[in-house]
Amino acid sequence: MSRNPPASLPRVRTAAQDAMRGARWWTLLDLERNLRSDTEFWRDLWAPSLAIAAHKVGLKGARSRLDEAIEAGFHQIDLFEPELSAAFGTDPDWKQVLERARANVPEPALRITAWPEPGPAAPLRLDRPEPHREPQLLPRLPKPLPGAWDTAKRLLGWTAGLWRHANTRINAGDALDVLEQVANGARYSCVEYSIVLAQGLNVLRVPARRVWLRRGDYHDGVGQGHAVAEAWIDDLDQWVLLDGQHGAYWADEDGRPLSLPELQARERPARPVHVGPRALMKDPGLWAAYFQHASVTGIAWEPEGFVPVFQDGQVLATERLVRDSSEAYPRLSDLAIGVTGLGGSPAVELKPVHPYAIGGTWNGEVIAAHGRQRFAQALDREPGEHKAAIAALTPYGPLASRELRWTAA
């Protein structure tokens, strides 16, 4: 039967609602024939309401309308309490009536049972040039390779070979300014290497930020700091520390590239791996001493207490101060999901954490964008249990997948 009401039904519904509110029970009962044609609301609204009305005026068989509704699947007894219990609660089988109604509650058509959630972290701040400067910087950089790690290593080696280190600072400007000055013969410090490397990586859609490393007694003396960069590497599913001055990254005993928190936690110095043409780190232990204290673009961490002054009296400003480095390191392969509709059917919308995500994948297949409902996929409604491997997609390919589970009745 069609659930589209006839044109007169809205007026009947309004009259019935007014009669219910005004306790005009005979008026409501006079509308019963018309209300029975309201297939959308008869079972769940009008039948129990008419049962109450019939009891109020003393009609025999008043409960028959409620029994009819329960037989059809009505279960929302609580919406009509205490009136229903006041009317029929003394019936000998009332307890059984309530049990039949409760048994009518159907299983939900869909239930999402497991979904990914991003881990807690402070807001991510990357080191990027102004948007209008990115198109000018891009042609000056090496071409990206198919993989994020290969692209990062290529840019790392390229950056290290741009000039010979000198303790000179540009003091202002972005990577484009540094490159223009270097083309004119300028030489700069570790700070400028970190600027070029971090901003260049972001232009190539590898999330990166600058890192300031400090020795244990950095509040006094000289040579107490070193500037490097770090990048989220899609195909490694992790952050990696990159030294633009030396053209190097650090690796563990198995050759796996390391993040800054991993380097801070080590008891023995890690091995530097050089990809650039500049002089090798002759004393890894000396450079490892710089891992004792650190901050990155937008955030600093210090479990024992933060010293906000550097060796020359410079204030070490930071946008956010935390105690645990984990708050500074979101896993950029994480993604959240939202729930939306596609063509009238329930769907999930992938919401990647990665700042350069261009889409998502569903069991390895790319999800098409649907206007505002970007990266959305309808849920399979075939009865049973279902699961899908979902992932964010970047210019370098899909990231590590997460599992989504749901059941359909």
Side-chain angles (χ1 to χ4, degrees):
M1 183 181 294
S2 172
R3 295 181 70 86
N4 295 324
S8 61
L9 196 51
R11 294 195 297 273
V12 174
R13 287 173 173 173
T14 299
Q17 289 170 351
D18 290 344
M20 289 168 59
R21 293 190 185 102
R24 291 183 280 110
W25 307 117
W26 281 115
T27 301
L28 180 62
L29 289 163
D30 288 342
L31 295 170
E32 180 170 353
R33 190 177 71 172
N34 289 325
L35 292 174
R36 282 183 174 276
S37 68
D38 187 357
T39 55
E40 184 176 359
F41 292 123
W42 168 253
R43 185 195 77 177
D44 295 319
L45 178 58
W46 305 130
S49 298
L50 286 163
I52 293 170
H55 173 79
K56 293 285 188 181
V57 300
L59 292 181
K60 291 184 177 180
R63 207 189 81 183
S64 63
R65 297 162 181 81
L66 177 61
D67 293 334
E68 177 186 343
I70 292 175
E71 184 67 25
F74 172 73
H75 58 83
Q76 292 178 281
I77 296 285
D78 59 305
L79 294 183
F80 298 89
E81 291 289 33
E83 287 83 0
L84 282 177
S85 290
F88 310 114
T90 58
D91 291 0
D93 63 342
W94 184 241
K95 183 177 179 181
Q96 289 74 27
V97 170
L98 295 179
E99 290 175 353
R100 291 205 315 273
R102 293 190 193 102
N104 280 335
V105 179
E107 286 295 316
L110 283 173
R111 185 191 299 273
I112 301 172
T113 57
W115 58 91
E117 294 182 78
L124 178 65
R125 273 259 286 111
L126 302 177
D127 200 283
R128 304 177 61 176
E130 292 294 326
H132 71 279
R133 302 273 282 176
E134 289 193 1
Q136 302 173 56
L137 180 58
L138 180 60
R140 295 173 177 261
L141 303 175
K143 298 293 184 184
L145 294 170
W149 182 224
D150 287 338
T151 297
K153 288 189 291 183
R154 169 180 276 190
L155 193 68
L156 175 62
W158 175 82
T159 301
L162 288 172
W163 69 87
R164 291 182 61 193
H165 177 269
N167 284 318
T168 306
R169 293 289 311 280
I170 195 171
N171 292 324
D174 60 11
L176 198 60
D177 294 320
V178 174
L179 293 179
E180 289 174 349
Q181 293 302 315
V182 166
N184 292 326
R187 293 164 55 192
Y188 293 114
S189 71
C190 59
V191 172
E192 284 67 34
Y193 285 108
S194 72
I195 292 172
V196 171
L197 181 55
Q199 294 189 5
L201 285 167
N202 280 301
V203 169
L204 297 179
R205 297 303 180 252
V206 176
R209 55 192 180 183
R210 294 164 65 194
V211 179
W212 293 266
L213 304 174
R214 296 181 291 275
R215 297 170 65 89
D217 52 355
Y218 65 81
H219 58 281
D220 189 54
V222 295
Q224 298 282 43
H226 183 44
V228 294
E230 65 182 1
W232 170 266
I233 307 299
D234 290 353
D235 31 341
L236 300 181
D237 196 39
Q238 68 172 81
W239 290 91
V240 176
L241 196 69
L242 306 168
D243 188 327
Q245 175 183 328
H246 294 98
Y249 63 91
W250 286 266
D252 65 12
E253 290 72 14
D254 297 323
R256 183 180 64 86
L258 296 172
S259 67
L260 175 54
E262 289 175 315
L263 289 165
Q264 288 185 311
R266 287 180 65 92
E267 295 182 358
R268 295 194 310 168
R271 175 176 60 92
V273 180
H274 293 83
V275 298
R278 293 302 177 200
L280 303 182
M281 295 181 191
K282 296 180 180 178
D283 186 351
L286 173 67
W287 291 100
Y290 285 101
F291 299 139
Q292 191 160 354
H293 301 280
S295 57
V296 302
T297 304
I299 191 167
W301 59 93
E302 203 58 74
E304 303 299 332
F306 183 68
V307 177
V309 180
F310 194 51
Q311 60 189 20
D312 55 0
Q314 172 189 350
V315 174
L316 295 175
T318 185
E319 296 174 20
R320 183 183 292 249
L321 186 62
V322 299
R323 292 192 177 276
D324 191 338
S325 64
S326 65
E327 296 186 46
Y329 286 88
R331 183 166 292 277
L332 298 190
S333 58
D334 280 351
L335 71 165
I337 67 162
V339 178
T340 186
L342 281 180
S345 294
V348 293
E349 183 179 1
L350 275 60
K351 299 178 180 291
V353 170
H354 198 291
Y356 301 128
I358 58 173
T361 64
W362 183 279
N363 290 331
E365 299 293 326
V366 175
I367 297 175
H370 298 275
R372 292 184 179 180
Q373 298 163 323
R374 302 184 67 206
F375 320 147
Q377 177 74 27
L379 294 172
D380 190 342
R381 304 185 71 173
E382 185 73 20
E385 296 187 357
H386 303 271
K387 64 180 179 179
I390 58 177
L393 181 68
T394 79
Y396 296 99
L399 303 184
S401 67
R402 305 290 188 265
E403 189 173 75
L404 176 73
R405 288 181 176 268
W406 70 100
T407 59

